Amino acid sequence: MTVPATAAGTQLKFSIVVPTYKEAGGIERLIVMLDDVFKRNKLDGEIIVVDDNSPDGTGDIVERLAAEGYPVRCLHRPAKMGLSSGVIDGWRFARPDSEALGAMDADFSHDANIIPAMVEALSNGYELAIGSRYVKGGGIEDWPLQRKITSIVAIALAQPLTPLRDITSGYFLVRRSALEGVELDPIGFKIGLEVIAKAHYRKAIEIPYVFTDRVAGTSKLNQNEILNYLRQLVRIYRGRLTGRT
Ligand SMILES: Nc1nc2c(ncn2[C@@H]2O[C@H](COP(=O)(O)OP(=O)(O)O)[C@@H](O)[C@H]2O)c(=O)[nH]1
Ligand SMILES: [Mg+2]
């Protein structure tokens, strides 16, 4: 299930959350690029940056861009509190009339050029659109072998939960209505998995993109996050077994 990465004049209102911790090296370029993608495709998108008091001044850069008129608002949290909880807080902060909510990393690993296709999919009956490395046309560039293996194992562990392939994708857009009444666990890095496993959607689509390694700053994925992922999986499986989700 894929649609071509083209869309013209779609007017679905959406908010895309970009959680940041120490992303001063790239955040300005990302916001300028998103603004450009929105304008060229006539998209009604809002960017919500959720910054955890980054010591490198990421939040100040975002405030300056907001004041300059870019379609961005910054939610400041007092300390590093985790990626998933950042996305969830960002969705609460999003304008209430956004019909769709999304997430994207700040490090350019998620190709902004598929946003129009995601928006088009949600305008055409899909309730969830995820950026996918593991469908035809998608892929991964410049990942060390160890990271690739980690990703493949992580995905295999969640396979029984869904027919979707790239379940660890942190890049997606979902109808707000599909999240109503859904309790999302703020643990760890994999907010996409929470949404894929728990949101109320009938039709989902994977839109291919090529994942590129971050261009500035450093990865915050560490052993602790791998453990968190396993904890998250256990909770989701347990929820399924006890019928709570
Ligand atoms: N607000 C916030 N953002 C975070 C936190 N941890 C990671 N991020 C952001 O989440 C995104 C993904 O993190 P990254 O380090 O690129 O993880 P990786 O892609 O798995 O290596 C980036 O935009 C990070 O700045 C956190 O604790 N709080
Ligand atoms: Mg990254």
Side-chain angles (χ1 to χ4, degrees):
M1 288 191 299
T2 53
V3 292
T6 54
T10 331
Q11 275 300 340
L12 178 102
K13 266 184 188 292
F14 64 97
S15 300
I16 189 150
V17 171
V18 180
T20 56
Y21 189 69
K22 293 202 264 188
E23 300 288 3
I27 193 64
E28 175 157 6
R29 193 155 80 79
L30 182 77
I31 289 167
V32 170
M33 180 195 264
L34 286 172
D35 178 52
D36 182 56
V37 169
F38 293 175
K39 284 209 176 94
R40 273 191 291 115
N41 296 279
K42 300 192 174 63
L43 301 182
D44 191 353
E46 165 189 59
I47 308 160
I48 302 289
V49 172
V50 179
D51 184 65
D52 283 356
N53 205 4
S54 297
D56 65 359
T58 305
D60 300 334
I61 297 172
V62 177
E63 288 298 351
R64 173 174 57 77
L65 293 168
E68 286 174 12
Y70 284 91
V72 64
R73 290 190 293 135
C74 192
L75 172 65
H76 300 272
R77 300 197 303 178
K80 190 170 186 309
M81 293 161 74
L83 193 165
S84 288
S85 80
V87 172
I88 295 168
D89 283 351
W91 288 342
R92 291 198 189 104
F93 186 71
R95 55 186 178 184
D97 58 344
S98 270
E99 298 146 273
L101 302 168
M104 179 185 199
D105 286 2
D107 60 0
F108 291 91
S109 50
H110 295 158
D111 181 2
N113 291 307
I114 66 165
I115 292 177
M118 289 178 163
V119 172
E120 188 177 66
L122 263 66
S123 305
N124 290 327
Y126 290 95
E127 290 144 307
L128 172 64
I130 66 172
S132 181
R133 297 161 289 183
Y134 300 118
V135 291
K136 192 163 177 282
I140 297 178
E141 231 169 54
D142 301 334
W143 251 13
L145 184 64
Q146 199 199 336
R147 187 94 195 250
K148 278 189 182 150
I149 294 171
T150 310
S151 174
I152 288 166
V153 172
I155 285 173
L157 291 173
Q159 210 71 95
L161 293 169
T162 168
L164 295 171
R165 306 250 189 95
D166 197 352
I167 52 86
T168 56
S169 174
Y171 188 24
F172 58 91
L173 202 58
V174 62
R175 280 265 174 192
R176 186 192 276 278
S177 55
L179 295 176
E180 258 161 41
V182 176
E183 204 176 298
L184 298 169
D185 190 341
I187 192 173
F189 257 47
K190 301 302 176 193
I191 183 66
L193 175 61
E194 286 296 303
V195 171
I196 288 168
K198 297 181 178 173
H200 303 304
Y201 56 93
R202 278 154 301 170
K203 284 176 71 188
I205 188 166
E206 294 193 65
I207 297 174
Y209 76 103
V210 176
F211 185 103
T212 47
D213 214 1
R214 59 165 51 250
V215 295
T218 52
S219 170
K220 284 101 210 167
L221 181 74
N222 54 30
Q223 299 294 353
N224 195 30
E225 290 304 340
I226 293 175
L227 278 178
N228 276 337
Y229 175 69
L230 296 175
R231 286 193 194 106
Q232 182 186 4
L233 273 180
V234 168
R235 291 189 202 173
I236 292 173
Y237 277 110
R238 202 184 281 151
R240 286 272 168 113
L241 288 173
T242 57
R244 275 189 286 113
T245 53

